[in-house]
Amino acid sequence: MYKLVFVLLFTVVFANANSLSLVKGKIQAHTEVFGDSTINPQTEDIITELEKSDSLESIKGKFEIEAISLISDNKDRDKHMYEVLNVENSPKIVFILNSISKQEDSYLLSGILILNNISKPITSKATIKEVEKNINLNGDFSIKLTDFGMEPPTMFFLTVRDQIDIKYDFNFKDN
């Protein structure tokens, strides 16, 4: 009996969920080489699988990129970045969005980031705007390479900063 109630409740909740289609999106990472310059790889090649039911707080799902789609202004440096990101053994970077909560004039997104085959909880402060059936989601968060089993590279006595700042901006259509 309990299983039947659970199945019916699960069906009703997801029957009311709408798929969000990504219209346009961008993810940009930022770090620095101490004493030299900044590194800002980015990608617009993003796969999303998001569902929304009755409110913005109900959005859940997955964001995925191929690590090799991250491109900066220096192709040689990008090759080193792909080595650090271990793209041969871990070609995808995935964020699983588990919850969204309203925080005054912004939102707090919580989920799991999977990078270099290591999963870590992540929270991000974001703004979400909904106009008719269009939803804009943008925000940022920071990670440390060492938290994901990666060592910041050193080249000619210059070391890449361990902290990576991530910014994102997505436009969705609520179907």
Side-chain angles (χ1 to χ4, degrees), residues 14-99:
F14 283 98
N16 292 327
N18 292 332
S19 169
L20 297 182
S21 300
L22 182 64
V23 176
K24 184 176 181 183
K26 180 177 174 180
I27 298 173
Q28 181 178 32
H30 167 81
T31 193
E32 299 170 3
V33 177
F34 292 121
D36 185 25
S37 62
T38 60
I39 305 170
N40 297 307
Q42 63 184 16
T43 186
E44 293 182 8
D45 188 13
I46 305 153
I47 297 169
T48 62
E49 295 175 13
L50 298 177
E51 298 285 328
K52 174 186 169 282
S53 55
D54 59 342
S55 68
L56 294 175
E57 291 91 341
S58 70
I59 298 172
K60 291 184 178 36
K62 179 172 83 168
F63 298 80
E64 181 179 295
I65 66 169
E66 295 284 338
I68 203 157
S69 74
L70 289 165
I71 299 171
S72 74
D73 61 353
N74 184 323
K75 290 184 184 197
D76 290 331
R77 190 171 47 207
D78 289 351
K79 289 178 189 175
H80 294 291
M81 173 181 63
Y82 302 144
E83 288 174 19
V84 170
L85 291 174
N86 192 21
V87 298
E88 283 190 32
N89 296 317
S90 180
K92 297 179 188 292
I93 301 171
V94 177
F95 178 72
I96 300 169
L97 176 60
N98 293 325
S99 69

Coordinates of all heavy atoms in Angstrom, one line a residue, residues 14-99:
F14 N 6.0 14.6 -10.8 CA 6.7 14.7 -12.1 C 5.8 14.9 -13.3 O 6.3 15.4 -14.3 CB 7.7 13.6 -12.2 CG 8.9 13.7 -11.4 CD1 9.0 13.1 -10.2 CD2 9.9 14.6 -11.8 CE1 10.1 13.3 -9.4 CE2 11.0 14.8 -11.0 CZ 11.1 14.1 -9.8
A15 N 4.5 14.6 -13.1 CA 3.6 14.9 -14.2 C 3.4 16.4 -14.4 O 3.1 16.9 -15.5 CB 2.3 14.2 -14.0
N16 N 3.6 17.1 -13.3 CA 3.4 18.6 -13.3 C 4.7 19.3 -13.6 O 4.7 20.5 -13.7 CB 2.8 19.0 -12.0 CG 1.4 18.6 -11.8 OD1 0.7 18.5 -12.7 ND2 1.1 18.3 -10.5
A17 N 5.8 18.6 -13.8 CA 7.1 19.2 -14.0 C 7.2 19.5 -15.5 O 6.8 18.7 -16.4 CB 8.2 18.3 -13.6
N18 N 7.9 20.6 -15.8 CA 8.2 21.0 -17.2 C 9.7 20.9 -17.4 O 10.5 21.1 -16.5 CB 7.7 22.4 -17.5 CG 6.2 22.6 -17.4 OD1 5.5 21.7 -17.7 ND2 5.8 23.8 -17.1
S19 N 10.0 20.5 -18.6 CA 11.4 20.5 -19.0 C 11.8 21.9 -19.4 O 11.1 22.7 -20.0 CB 11.5 19.6 -20.2 OG 12.8 19.7 -20.8
L20 N 13.0 22.3 -18.9 CA 13.6 23.6 -19.3 C 14.6 23.4 -20.4 O 15.5 22.6 -20.3 CB 14.3 24.3 -18.1 CG 13.5 24.6 -16.9 CD1 14.3 25.3 -15.8 CD2 12.3 25.5 -17.3
S21 N 14.4 24.1 -21.5 CA 15.3 24.0 -22.7 C 16.3 25.1 -22.6 O 15.9 26.3 -22.5 CB 14.5 24.1 -24.0 OG 13.6 23.1 -24.1
L22 N 17.6 24.8 -22.7 CA 18.6 25.8 -22.8 C 18.6 26.5 -24.1 O 18.8 25.9 -25.2 CB 20.0 25.1 -22.5 CG 21.2 26.1 -22.5 CD1 21.1 27.0 -21.3 CD2 22.5 25.3 -22.4
V23 N 18.4 27.8 -24.1 CA 18.4 28.6 -25.3 C 19.8 29.1 -25.5 O 20.3 29.1 -26.6 CB 17.5 29.9 -25.1 CG1 17.5 30.8 -26.3 CG2 16.0 29.4 -24.9
K24 N 20.5 29.6 -24.5 CA 21.9 30.1 -24.6 C 22.5 30.0 -23.2 O 21.9 30.3 -22.2 CB 21.9 31.5 -25.1 CG 23.2 32.1 -25.3 CD 23.2 33.5 -25.9 CE 24.6 34.0 -26.1 NZ 24.6 35.4 -26.6
G25 N 23.8 29.6 -23.2 CA 24.5 29.5 -21.9 C 26.0 29.7 -22.1 O 26.5 29.5 -23.1
K26 N 26.6 30.1 -20.9 CA 28.0 30.4 -21.0 C 28.6 30.1 -19.6 O 28.0 30.5 -18.6 CB 28.3 31.8 -21.3 CG 29.8 32.1 -21.4 CD 29.9 33.6 -21.8 CE 31.3 34.1 -21.8 NZ 31.4 35.5 -22.2
I27 N 29.7 29.3 -19.5 CA 30.4 29.1 -18.3 C 31.8 29.6 -18.5 O 32.5 29.3 -19.5 CB 30.4 27.6 -17.9 CG1 29.0 27.1 -17.7 CG2 31.3 27.3 -16.7 CD1 28.9 25.6 -17.6
Q28 N 32.3 30.4 -17.5 CA 33.7 30.9 -17.6 C 34.4 30.7 -16.3 O 33.9 30.9 -15.2 CB 33.6 32.4 -17.9 CG 35.1 33.0 -18.0 CD 35.1 34.5 -18.3 OE1 34.2 35.2 -17.9 NE2 36.1 34.9 -19.0
A29 N 35.6 30.1 -16.4 CA 36.4 29.9 -15.3 C 37.5 31.0 -15.3 O 37.9 31.5 -16.3 CB 37.1 28.5 -15.4
H30 N 38.0 31.3 -14.1 CA 39.0 32.3 -13.9 C 40.0 31.9 -12.9 O 39.6 31.5 -11.8 CB 38.4 33.7 -13.5 CG 39.4 34.7 -13.1 ND1 40.2 35.4 -14.0 CD2 39.9 35.0 -11.9 CE1 41.0 36.2 -13.3 NE2 40.8 36.0 -12.0
T31 N 41.3 32.0 -13.2 CA 42.3 31.8 -12.3 C 43.5 32.7 -12.7 O 43.4 33.4 -13.7 CB 42.8 30.4 -12.1 OG1 43.6 30.3 -10.9 CG2 43.5 29.8 -13.3
E32 N 44.6 32.7 -12.0 CA 45.7 33.6 -12.3 C 47.0 32.8 -12.1 O 47.1 31.8 -11.4 CB 45.7 34.7 -11.3 CG 44.5 35.6 -11.4 CD 44.4 36.6 -10.2 OE1 45.3 36.7 -9.4 OE2 43.4 37.3 -10.2
V33 N 48.0 33.2 -12.9 CA 49.3 32.7 -12.8 C 50.0 33.8 -11.9 O 50.1 34.9 -12.3 CB 50.0 32.5 -14.1 CG1 51.5 32.1 -13.9 CG2 49.3 31.6 -15.0
F34 N 50.5 33.4 -10.7 CA 51.1 34.3 -9.8 C 52.3 35.0 -10.5 O 53.2 34.4 -11.1 CB 51.6 33.7 -8.5 CG 50.5 33.2 -7.7 CD1 50.4 31.8 -7.4 CD2 49.5 34.0 -7.2 CE1 49.3 31.3 -6.6 CE2 48.5 33.6 -6.4 CZ 48.4 32.2 -6.1
G35 N 52.2 36.3 -10.6 CA 53.3 37.1 -11.2 C 53.2 37.2 -12.7 O 54.1 37.8 -13.3
D36 N 52.2 36.7 -13.3 CA 52.2 36.8 -14.8 C 50.8 37.3 -15.3 O 50.7 38.5 -15.6 CB 52.4 35.4 -15.4 CG 52.6 35.4 -16.9 OD1 52.9 36.4 -17.4 OD2 52.3 34.3 -17.5
S37 N 49.8 36.5 -15.4 CA 48.6 36.9 -16.1 C 47.4 36.1 -15.5 O 47.5 35.3 -14.6 CB 48.7 36.6 -17.6 OG 48.9 35.2 -17.8
T38 N 46.3 36.4 -16.2 CA 45.0 35.7 -15.8 C 44.7 34.6 -16.9 O 45.2 34.7 -18.0 CB 43.8 36.7 -15.7 OG1 43.7 37.3 -17.0 CG2 44.1 37.7 -14.7
I39 N 44.0 33.6 -16.5 CA 43.5 32.6 -17.3 C 42.0 32.5 -17.2 O 41.5 32.3 -16.2 CB 44.1 31.2 -16.9 CG1 45.7 31.3 -16.9 CG2 43.7 30.1 -17.9 CD1 46.3 30.1 -16.2
N40 N 41.3 32.6 -18.4 CA 39.9 32.7 -18.4 C 39.3 31.8 -19.5 O 38.6 32.3 -20.4 CB 39.4 34.1 -18.7 CG 39.8 35.1 -17.6 OD1 39.6 34.9 -16.4 ND2 40.5 36.2 -18.0
P41 N 39.4 30.5 -19.3 CA 38.7 29.6 -20.3 C 37.2 29.6 -20.1 O 36.7 29.9 -19.0 CB 39.3 28.2 -19.9 CG 39.6 28.3 -18.5 CD 40.1 29.7 -18.3
Q42 N 36.5 29.4 -21.2 CA 35.1 29.4 -21.2 C 34.5 28.5 -22.2 O 35.2 28.0 -23.1 CB 34.6 30.8 -21.5 CG 34.9 31.4 -22.8 CD 34.4 32.9 -23.0 OE1 34.1 33.5 -22.0 NE2 34.4 33.3 -24.2
T43 N 33.2 28.2 -22.1 CA 32.5 27.4 -23.1 C 31.1 27.8 -23.1 O 30.5 28.3 -22.1 CB 32.6 25.9 -22.7 OG1 32.0 25.1 -23.8 CG2 31.9 25.5 -21.4
E44 N 30.5 27.6 -24.3 CA 29.1 27.7 -24.5 C 28.5 26.4 -24.9 O 27.3 26.3 -25.2 CB 28.8 28.8 -25.6 CG 29.2 30.2 -25.1 CD 28.9 31.3 -26.1 OE1 28.2 31.0 -27.1 OE2 29.3 32.4 -25.9
D45 N 29.3 25.4 -24.9 CA 28.9 24.0 -25.3 C 28.4 23.3 -24.0 O 29.2 22.5 -23.4 CB 30.0 23.3 -26.0 CG 29.6 22.0 -26.6 OD1 28.4 21.7 -26.7 OD2 30.5 21.2 -27.0
I46 N 27.2 23.5 -23.7 CA 26.6 23.0 -22.4 C 25.4 22.1 -22.6 O 24.5 22.5 -23.4 CB 26.3 24.2 -21.5 CG1 27.5 25.1 -21.3 CG2 25.7 23.7 -20.1 CD1 27.1 26.6 -21.0
I47 N 25.3 21.0 -22.0 CA 24.2 20.2 -22.0 C 23.4 20.3 -20.7 O 24.1 20.2 -19.6 CB 24.6 18.7 -22.3 CG1 25.3 18.6 -23.6 CG2 23.4 17.8 -22.2 CD1 25.9 17.2 -23.9
T48 N 22.1 20.5 -20.7 CA 21.4 20.6 -19.5 C 20.2 19.6 -19.6 O 19.6 19.4 -20.6 CB 20.8 22.0 -19.2 OG1 20.0 22.4 -20.3 CG2 22.0 23.0 -19.1
E49 N 19.8 19.1 -18.4 CA 18.6 18.3 -18.2 C 17.9 18.8 -17.0 O 18.2 18.3 -15.9 CB 19.0 16.8 -18.1 CG 19.6 16.2 -19.4 CD 20.1 14.8 -19.1 OE1 19.7 14.2 -18.1 OE2 20.8 14.3 -20.0
L50 N 17.1 19.8 -17.1 CA 16.4 20.4 -16.0 C 14.9 20.3 -16.0 O 14.4 20.3 -17.1 CB 16.8 21.9 -15.9 CG 18.3 22.3 -15.7 CD1 18.5 23.8 -15.7 CD2 18.8 21.7 -14.4
E51 N 14.3 20.2 -14.9 CA 12.9 20.1 -14.7 C 12.5 21.2 -13.7 O 13.2 21.5 -12.8 CB 12.5 18.7 -14.1 CG 12.8 17.6 -15.0 CD 11.9 17.4 -16.2 OE1 10.8 17.8 -16.2 OE2 12.4 16.9 -17.3
K52 N 11.3 21.8 -14.0 CA 10.7 22.8 -13.1 C 9.2 22.5 -12.9 O 8.5 22.2 -13.9 CB 10.9 24.2 -13.7 CG 10.2 25.3 -12.9 CD 10.3 26.6 -13.7 CE 9.4 27.6 -13.1 NZ 8.0 27.5 -13.5
S53 N 8.7 22.5 -11.7 CA 7.3 22.3 -11.5 C 6.6 23.7 -11.3 O 6.6 24.5 -12.2 CB 7.0 21.3 -10.5 OG 7.6 21.6 -9.2
D54 N 6.2 24.0 -10.1 CA 5.4 25.1 -9.8 C 6.2 26.4 -9.5 O 5.6 27.5 -9.5 CB 4.4 24.8 -8.8 CG 5.0 24.4 -7.5 OD1 6.2 24.0 -7.5 OD2 4.4 24.5 -6.4
S55 N 7.5 26.4 -9.2 CA 8.2 27.6 -8.7 C 9.6 27.5 -9.2 O 10.1 26.4 -9.5 CB 8.1 27.7 -7.2 OG 8.9 26.7 -6.6
L56 N 10.3 28.6 -9.1 CA 11.8 28.6 -9.4 C 12.5 27.7 -8.4 O 13.5 27.1 -8.8 CB 12.3 30.0 -9.3 CG 11.8 31.0 -10.4 CD1 12.3 32.4 -10.2 CD2 12.1 30.5 -11.8
E57 N 12.1 27.6 -7.2 CA 12.7 26.8 -6.2 C 12.6 25.3 -6.5 O 13.3 24.5 -6.0 CB 12.2 27.1 -4.8 CG 12.6 28.4 -4.3 CD 11.6 29.5 -4.6 OE1 10.7 29.4 -5.5 OE2 11.6 30.6 -3.9
S58 N 11.7 24.9 -7.4 CA 11.5 23.5 -7.8 C 12.5 23.0 -8.9 O 12.5 21.9 -9.2 CB 10.1 23.3 -8.2 OG 9.9 23.9 -9.5
I59 N 13.3 23.9 -9.4 CA 14.2 23.5 -10.5 C 15.2 22.5 -10.0 O 15.9 22.8 -9.0 CB 14.9 24.7 -11.1 CG1 13.9 25.7 -11.8 CG2 15.9 24.3 -12.2 CD1 14.4 27.0 -12.3
K60 N 15.4 21.4 -10.7 CA 16.4 20.4 -10.4 C 16.9 19.8 -11.7 O 16.3 19.9 -12.7 CB 15.8 19.3 -9.5 CG 15.4 19.8 -8.1 CD 14.9 18.6 -7.3 CE 14.6 19.0 -5.9 NZ 14.0 20.3 -5.6
G61 N 18.1 19.3 -11.6 CA 18.6 18.6 -12.8 C 20.1 18.6 -12.9 O 20.8 18.7 -11.9
K62 N 20.6 18.6 -14.2 CA 22.0 18.4 -14.4 C 22.5 19.4 -15.5 O 21.8 19.6 -16.5 CB 22.2 16.9 -14.8 CG 23.6 16.6 -15.2 CD 23.7 15.1 -15.4 CE 23.4 14.7 -16.8 NZ 23.7 13.3 -17.1
F63 N 23.8 19.9 -15.2 CA 24.5 20.6 -16.2 C 25.8 19.8 -16.5 O 26.4 19.3 -15.6 CB 25.0 22.0 -15.6 CG 23.9 22.9 -15.2 CD1 23.2 22.7 -14.0 CD2 23.5 23.9 -16.0 CE1 22.2 23.6 -13.6 CE2 22.5 24.8 -15.7 CZ 21.8 24.6 -14.5
E64 N 26.1 19.8 -17.8 CA 27.3 18.9 -18.2 C 28.1 19.6 -19.3 O 27.5 20.2 -20.2 CB 26.8 17.6 -18.7 CG 27.9 16.6 -19.1 CD 27.3 15.3 -19.5 OE1 26.7 14.6 -18.6 OE2 27.4 14.9 -20.7
I65 N 29.4 19.6 -19.2 CA 30.3 20.1 -20.3 C 31.4 19.1 -20.5 O 31.8 18.3 -19.6 CB 30.9 21.5 -20.0 CG1 31.8 21.4 -18.8 CG2 29.8 22.5 -19.8 CD1 32.7 22.7 -18.7
E66 N 31.9 19.0 -21.7 CA 33.1 18.3 -22.0 C 34.2 19.2 -21.6 O 34.3 20.4 -22.0 CB 33.2 18.0 -23.5 CG 32.1 17.1 -24.0 CD 32.4 15.6 -23.7 OE1 33.5 15.3 -23.4 OE2 31.4 14.9 -23.7
A67 N 35.1 18.8 -20.8 CA 36.2 19.6 -20.3 C 37.0 20.2 -21.4 O 37.5 21.3 -21.3 CB 37.1 18.8 -19.3
I68 N 37.2 19.5 -22.5 CA 38.0 19.9 -23.6 C 37.3 21.1 -24.4 O 37.9 21.7 -25.2 CB 38.3 18.7 -24.6 CG1 39.5 19.1 -25.4 CG2 37.1 18.3 -25.4 CD1 40.3 17.9 -25.9
S69 N 36.0 21.3 -24.1 CA 35.3 22.5 -24.7 C 35.7 23.8 -24.1 O 35.4 24.9 -24.6 CB 33.8 22.3 -24.7 OG 33.3 22.5 -23.4
L70 N 36.4 23.8 -22.9 CA 36.9 25.0 -22.3 C 38.1 25.5 -23.1 O 39.1 24.8 -23.3 CB 37.3 24.7 -20.8 CG 36.2 24.5 -19.8 CD1 36.7 23.8 -18.6 CD2 35.4 25.7 -19.6
I71 N 38.0 26.8 -23.5 CA 39.0 27.3 -24.4 C 39.3 28.7 -23.9 O 38.5 29.5 -23.6 CB 38.5 27.4 -25.9 CG1 38.2 26.0 -26.4 CG2 39.5 28.1 -26.7 CD1 37.5 26.0 -27.7
S72 N 40.7 29.0 -23.8 CA 41.1 30.3 -23.4 C 41.8 31.0 -24.6 O 41.6 30.6 -25.7 CB 42.1 30.2 -22.3 OG 43.4 29.7 -22.7
D73 N 42.5 32.1 -24.4 CA 43.1 32.8 -25.5 C 44.5 32.3 -25.8 O 45.3 32.9 -26.6 CB 43.2 34.3 -25.1 CG 44.1 34.6 -23.9 OD1 44.5 33.6 -23.2 OD2 44.3 35.7 -23.6
N74 N 44.9 31.1 -25.2 CA 46.2 30.5 -25.4 C 46.1 29.0 -25.6 O 46.0 28.3 -24.6 CB 47.1 30.9 -24.2 CG 48.6 30.5 -24.4 OD1 48.8 29.4 -24.9 ND2 49.5 31.3 -23.9
K75 N 46.3 28.5 -26.8 CA 46.1 27.1 -27.1 C 47.1 26.2 -26.4 O 46.8 25.1 -26.0 CB 46.1 26.9 -28.6 CG 44.9 27.4 -29.3 CD 44.9 27.1 -30.8 CE 43.6 27.7 -31.4 NZ 43.3 27.2 -32.7
D76 N 48.4 26.7 -26.3 CA 49.4 25.9 -25.6 C 49.0 25.8 -24.1 O 49.2 24.7 -23.5 CB 50.8 26.6 -25.7 CG 51.3 26.5 -27.2 OD1 50.9 25.5 -27.9 OD2 52.1 27.3 -27.6
R77 N 48.6 26.8 -23.5 CA 48.2 26.8 -22.1 C 47.0 25.9 -21.9 O 46.8 25.2 -20.9 CB 47.9 28.2 -21.6 CG 47.7 28.2 -20.1 CD 47.7 29.6 -19.6 NE 46.8 30.5 -20.3 CZ 46.9 31.8 -20.4 NH1 47.9 32.4 -19.8 NH2 46.1 32.5 -21.1
D78 N 46.0 25.9 -22.9 CA 44.9 25.0 -22.9 C 45.3 23.6 -22.8 O 44.7 22.8 -22.1 CB 43.9 25.3 -24.1 CG 43.2 26.6 -24.0 OD1 43.3 27.3 -22.9 OD2 42.6 27.0 -25.0
K79 N 46.3 23.2 -23.6 CA 46.8 21.8 -23.5 C 47.2 21.4 -22.1 O 46.9 20.3 -21.6 CB 48.0 21.6 -24.5 CG 47.6 21.7 -25.9 CD 48.8 21.6 -26.8 CE 48.5 21.8 -28.3 NZ 49.7 21.8 -29.1
H80 N 47.9 22.3 -21.4 CA 48.3 22.0 -20.0 C 47.1 22.0 -19.1 O 47.0 21.1 -18.2 CB 49.3 23.1 -19.5 CG 50.6 23.1 -20.2 ND1 51.5 22.1 -20.1 CD2 51.1 24.0 -21.1 CE1 52.6 22.4 -20.8 NE2 52.4 23.5 -21.4
M81 N 46.1 22.8 -19.4 CA 44.9 22.8 -18.6 C 44.2 21.5 -18.7 O 43.7 20.9 -17.8 CB 43.9 24.0 -19.1 CG 42.6 23.9 -18.4 SD 41.5 25.3 -19.0 CE 41.3 24.9 -20.7
Y82 N 44.1 20.9 -20.0 CA 43.5 19.6 -20.2 C 44.2 18.5 -19.5 O 43.6 17.6 -19.0 CB 43.4 19.3 -21.7 CG 42.6 20.4 -22.5 CD1 43.0 20.7 -23.8 CD2 41.5 21.0 -22.0 CE1 42.3 21.6 -24.5 CE2 40.8 22.0 -22.7 CZ 41.2 22.3 -24.0 OH 40.5 23.2 -24.7
E83 N 45.5 18.6 -19.4 CA 46.3 17.6 -18.6 C 45.9 17.7 -17.1 O 45.7 16.7 -16.5 CB 47.8 17.9 -18.8 CG 48.3 17.5 -20.2 CD 49.8 17.8 -20.4 OE1 50.5 18.1 -19.4 OE2 50.2 17.9 -21.5
V84 N 45.9 18.9 -16.6 CA 45.5 19.1 -15.2 C 44.1 18.6 -14.9 O 43.9 18.0 -13.9 CB 45.7 20.6 -14.8 CG1 45.1 20.9 -13.4 CG2 47.1 21.1 -14.8
L85 N 43.2 18.9 -15.8 CA 41.8 18.4 -15.7 C 41.6 17.0 -15.9 O 40.6 16.4 -15.7 CB 40.9 19.2 -16.6 CG 40.7 20.7 -16.3 CD1 39.9 21.4 -17.4 CD2 40.0 20.9 -15.0
N86 N 42.7 16.3 -16.4 CA 42.7 14.8 -16.6 C 41.6 14.4 -17.5 O 40.8 13.5 -17.3 CB 42.5 14.1 -15.2 CG 42.7 12.7 -15.3 OD1 43.4 12.1 -16.2 ND2 42.2 11.9 -14.3
V87 N 41.5 15.1 -18.7 CA 40.4 14.9 -19.7 C 40.4 13.5 -20.2 O 39.4 13.0 -20.7 CB 40.4 15.9 -20.8 CG1 40.1 17.3 -20.2 CG2 41.6 15.9 -21.6
E88 N 41.6 12.8 -20.3 CA 41.6 11.4 -20.8 C 40.8 10.5 -19.9 O 40.1 9.6 -20.4 CB 43.0 10.9 -20.9 CG 43.7 11.5 -22.1 CD 45.1 10.8 -22.4 OE1 45.2 9.6 -22.1 OE2 46.0 11.5 -22.9
N89 N 40.9 10.6 -18.6 CA 40.2 9.7 -17.7 C 38.9 10.3 -17.2 O 38.0 9.6 -16.6 CB 41.1 9.4 -16.5 CG 42.3 8.6 -16.9 OD1 42.2 7.7 -17.8 ND2 43.5 9.0 -16.4
S90 N 38.7 11.6 -17.3 CA 37.5 12.3 -16.8 C 37.1 13.4 -17.7 O 37.3 14.6 -17.5 CB 37.8 12.8 -15.4 OG 36.7 13.5 -14.9
P91 N 36.5 13.0 -18.9 CA 36.3 14.0 -19.9 C 35.1 15.0 -19.6 O 35.1 16.1 -20.2 CB 36.0 13.2 -21.2 CG 35.5 11.9 -20.6 CD 36.2 11.7 -19.3
K92 N 34.2 14.6 -18.7 CA 33.1 15.5 -18.4 C 33.2 16.2 -17.1 O 33.7 15.6 -16.1 CB 31.8 14.7 -18.5 CG 31.5 14.1 -19.9 CD 30.3 13.3 -19.9 CE 30.1 12.5 -21.1 NZ 29.8 13.3 -22.3
I93 N 32.6 17.4 -17.0 CA 32.5 18.1 -15.8 C 30.9 18.2 -15.6 O 30.3 18.7 -16.5 CB 33.1 19.5 -15.8 CG1 34.6 19.4 -16.0 CG2 32.8 20.2 -14.5 CD1 35.3 20.7 -16.3
V94 N 30.4 17.8 -14.5 CA 29.0 17.7 -14.2 C 28.6 18.4 -12.9 O 29.3 18.2 -11.9 CB 28.5 16.2 -14.2 CG1 27.0 16.1 -13.9 CG2 28.9 15.5 -15.5
F95 N 27.5 19.2 -13.0 CA 27.0 19.7 -11.8 C 25.5 19.2 -11.7 O 24.7 19.4 -12.6 CB 27.0 21.3 -11.8 CG 26.3 21.9 -10.6 CD1 27.0 21.8 -9.3 CD2 25.1 22.5 -10.6 CE1 26.4 22.3 -8.2 CE2 24.5 23.0 -9.5 CZ 25.2 22.9 -8.3
I96 N 25.2 18.6 -10.6 CA 23.8 18.1 -10.3 C 23.2 19.1 -9.3 O 23.6 19.2 -8.2 CB 23.9 16.7 -9.8 CG1 24.5 15.7 -10.8 CG2 22.4 16.2 -9.4 CD1 24.8 14.4 -10.3
L97 N 22.2 19.8 -9.8 CA 21.5 20.8 -9.0 C 20.4 20.0 -8.2 O 19.4 19.5 -8.7 CB 20.8 21.8 -9.9 CG 19.9 22.9 -9.2 CD1 20.7 23.7 -8.2 CD2 19.3 23.8 -10.3
N98 N 20.6 20.0 -6.9 CA 19.6 19.3 -6.0 C 18.6 20.2 -5.4 O 17.5 19.8 -5.1 CB 20.4 18.7 -4.8 CG 21.3 17.6 -5.3 OD1 20.9 16.8 -6.2 ND2 22.5 17.4 -4.7
S99 N 18.9 21.5 -5.1 CA 17.9 22.4 -4.5 C 18.2 23.9 -4.7 O 19.4 24.2 -5.0 CB 17.9 22.1 -3.0 OG 19.0 22.6 -2.3

